[in-house]
Amino acid sequence: ATSVGEFLGRHFSWFKEEPLRKRLLAGGLYSMSPARFLGYQGLLALLFLLFWVWLAGLTGATVVALVVGAAMAVALGWLMPWAWLMRRTRLRRDSIEYELPEMVDLLVVSVEAGVSLIGAMRIAAREVQGPLGEELRLTLQEQNMGLSSGQALENLGTRTDTPGMRVFVRSIIQGELLGRARVGDDRVG
């Protein structure tokens, strides 16, 4: 599939890798490359075309029915992976929005108990299941690999891209910036 996708990507000038990569990340498909997904689309379109030609040959379809059916089979085979990805992304985002209040409550309780924000996020990542828990664990891994907490949180907001998560990430980043500015003011004064 990857080889087919790379071939198609080279020959279709309209193919843009970065938007598809973002969509795959939003769908939680971290290990799938855009070329591989494009390859699946091409292979499924070919498979549907071959099935239609075989079926039309068995039933004795007219040339017009063969051509129209072939066009529809290719379109259906091409669009089915995209429709699956869109549905997966929507369900994942809905799940994240649903789980977000529980995670915020867990963070608030942990921080009020004296745990740092990063420690509270580790606790939440252990306790929260589903896509939101996966995203929190990925954010913590990014921080462990050297990204700043602000950049890791921005990546979290980009990957999930839900209204609630955008507000959450923006609030946390702004709170950290204001907290640093306040500590800086105390040192000067």
Side-chain angles (χ1 to χ4, degrees):
T2 303
S3 299
V4 171
E6 288 171 353
F7 174 80
L8 292 174
R10 283 191 305 269
H11 290 84
F12 289 135
S13 60
W14 52 262
F15 175 66
K16 304 289 185 240
E17 190 170 321
E18 196 55 35
L20 181 55
R21 182 181 314 282
K22 286 180 180 178
R23 180 62 66 177
L24 290 169
L25 289 175
L29 300 171
Y30 305 117
S31 62
M32 184 176 293
S33 69
R36 186 182 212 181
F37 185 80
L38 188 63
Y40 285 141
Q41 283 183 293
L43 290 173
L44 196 59
L46 179 63
L47 181 69
F48 276 38
L49 173 65
L50 293 175
F51 178 73
W52 173 251
V53 169
W54 174 75
L55 188 65
L58 284 179
T59 60
T62 66
V63 174
V64 173
L66 179 67
V67 171
V68 170
M72 290 176 60
V74 168
L76 184 63
W78 184 261
L79 294 175
M80 276 184 68
W82 187 253
W84 171 80
L85 179 60
M86 299 301 271
R87 184 177 186 322
R88 179 181 168 97
T89 301
R90 183 178 44 80
L91 292 174
R92 184 174 170 80
R93 286 179 176 164
D94 290 348
S95 176
I96 288 171
E97 281 290 304
Y98 180 78
E99 296 166 350
L100 189 60
E102 178 186 345
M103 184 204 64
V104 170
D105 286 344
L106 195 54
L107 289 176
V108 168
V109 168
S110 299
V111 169
E112 285 179 350
V115 178
S116 70
L117 178 63
I118 300 303
M121 285 180 64
R122 283 190 180 103
I123 292 169
R126 267 195 320 263
E127 297 298 321
V128 175
Q129 302 301 316
L132 184 57
E134 292 171 11
E135 290 296 340
L136 285 175
R137 288 185 283 282
L138 184 57
T139 301
L140 291 169
Q141 284 178 342
E142 288 180 338
Q143 287 178 327
N144 289 338
M145 294 182 73
L147 280 182
S148 68
S149 61
Q151 184 61 45
L153 285 169
E154 285 178 14
N155 290 348
L156 171 68
T158 301
R159 282 190 311 269
T160 56
D161 196 29
T162 66
M165 189 57 80
R166 281 192 299 268
V167 170
F168 170 76
V169 167
R170 192 173 39 237
S171 299
I172 295 296
I173 291 173
Q174 187 175 31
E176 283 186 349
L177 291 174
L178 291 174
R180 283 188 211 138
R182 180 69 183 139
V183 169
D185 289 345
D186 289 345
R187 289 184 191 154
V188 173

